[in-house]
Amino acid sequence: MSATRTIGRFAPSPTGPLHFGSLVAAVASWLDARAAGGRWLVRMEDLDRPRCVPGAADAILHQLEAYGLIWDGEVLVQSRRDDAYAAALNQLQAVGQAYPCACTRSQLAAAPRNAEGEAVYPGACRTGLPPGATPRAWRVRVGDVSTCFHDRVHGRLCQTLETEVGDFIVKRADGLFAYQLAVVVDDAHQGVTDVVRGADLLWNTPRQIHLQTLLGLPAPRYAHVPLVVNAAGQKLSKQTLAPALPESGRGAVLAEALATLGHAPPAGLANAGPAELLAWASAHWKIENVPRRPVIAKPAS
Ligand code: GLU
């Protein structure tokens, strides 16, 4: 056992109620923290104001409670944290690691794509803005070196940010701070030791480690749990019309989430409710039993 107490977190974006895929991520981080006797925090990632849906944050918190996922302390709300993100951006600017970018979306449309389908920034503004150009976003410099980390589910992974991502945005053209910057500032602020989240964010991790290094912040451990996809192989999300978690039969849904995480409860718990299932699962939690591959949701989820 390490001397540091485990601190996990769940960081939903309030763009709609939780669906089965987000429940799987929430359950995994809750179990990982609770099984280690640690704290579990909730952070509302409402940075992207235009995408947030009024009432969704409250709905998410009620869903977590109803599924027995009780958090510790206050919920941290990102829309109240602009000063902390501005301070981090200042720190990057002060050491010449952040620069303004004038490129528009259409100018970047022809940029090469990485394996995730994201545009790799070709570095057009890296050495300065073209004459007369208006600065829009702020980007952070990356290097031509391999950034590696150990994922507790996927093992050792490496990415060369320069060729696979390019200098990435830390403050957007619409004035909002970017997810990558906010997440590292807040994970450090909350003392998070263990990030456990969906595998859709796996390849965001090297960007976050790069920012932690530049900002002198500690790197948490990472574990990326299987993504839940629909029959067409798309991640369950608002865009793919994933239904909200049901308000009855929660035990059965939770048992399905545990099975997705490689921790199917025994037959004796077939009619158990959330509290009993979570107690069983936290006593049996082994991250090495969590599968790597995406899992196809049952039609009802
Ligand atoms: N807010 C992000 C999402 O809902 C999760 C961020 C994270 O866990 O790092 O996809």
Side-chain angles (χ1 to χ4, degrees):
M1 274 255 355
S2 80
T4 316
R5 188 170 181 200
T6 297
I7 301 181
R9 52 63 159 188
F10 177 55
S13 304
T15 55
L18 298 180
H19 50 72
F20 184 69
S22 29
L23 178 70
V24 168
V27 167
S29 66
W30 188 93
L31 285 175
D32 193 62
R34 296 301 189 215
R39 285 166 60 77
W40 187 67
L41 311 177
V42 171
R43 179 165 78 230
M44 218 30 89
E45 298 211 325
D46 58 350
L47 264 189
D48 194 346
R49 273 59 149 194
R51 285 187 57 231
C52 293
V53 171
D58 281 344
I60 290 172
L61 296 176
H62 282 125
Q63 288 175 305
L64 290 174
E65 276 171 346
Y67 276 82
L69 302 169
I70 309 299
W71 58 94
D72 294 307
E74 298 273 303
V75 173
L76 190 73
V77 178
Q78 287 195 323
S79 57
R80 301 190 194 135
R81 301 257 310 138
D82 274 357
D83 289 354
Y85 311 140
L89 178 58
N90 278 340
Q91 204 182 324
L92 297 173
Q93 290 164 336
V95 291
Q97 292 295 331
Y99 64 84
C101 175
C103 297
T104 60
R105 223 174 259 264
S106 57
Q107 282 169 318
L108 296 176
R113 305 262 146 184
N114 66 14
E116 308 291 293
E118 301 166 314
V120 177
Y121 182 63
C125 299
R126 201 171 209 206
T127 52
L129 295 181
T134 314
R136 292 165 48 80
W138 281 86
R139 289 180 184 271
V140 67
R141 295 180 196 282
V142 299
D144 190 15
V145 289
S146 190
T147 301
C148 298
F149 68 104
H150 172 81
D151 185 274
R152 294 164 63 208
V153 174
H154 294 262
R156 183 175 157 87
L157 298 170
C158 297
Q159 187 178 49
T160 302
L161 287 171
E162 184 161 299
T163 52
E164 294 176 64
V165 176
D167 297 340
F168 58 92
I169 290 182
V170 281
K171 190 172 185 193
R172 303 173 3 172
D174 59 7
L176 296 174
F177 290 99
Y179 158 68
Q180 308 291 353
L181 184 71
V183 79
V184 301
V185 168
D186 286 344
D187 281 337
H189 173 70
Q190 296 187 288
V192 170
T193 61
D194 285 89
V195 172
V196 178
R197 60 187 177 189
D200 52 328
L201 294 166
L202 188 61
W203 292 109
N204 284 247
T205 310
R207 270 168 263 189
Q208 294 169 17
I209 291 172
H210 179 64
L211 284 175
Q212 286 153 359
T213 307
L214 291 177
L215 293 168
L217 301 175
R221 298 194 301 171
Y222 288 94
H224 289 85
V225 300
L227 210 56
V228 182
V229 296
N230 61 20
Q234 300 160 312
K235 180 193 162 189
L236 294 192
S237 69
K238 200 174 150 191
Q239 289 73 30
T240 59
L241 307 177
L245 289 172
E247 291 186 16
S248 60
R250 294 191 184 100
V253 177
L254 192 54
E256 189 59 37
L258 293 172
T260 302
L261 291 165
H263 290 71
L269 290 181
N271 296 314
E276 212 182 331
L277 288 165
L278 289 173
W280 174 86
S282 50
H284 291 86
W285 178 249
K286 281 203 176 80
I287 201 136
E288 53 276 24
N289 290 350
V290 173
R292 290 184 180 177
R293 289 163 169 264
V295 174
I296 300 177
K298 296 240 169 95
S301 43

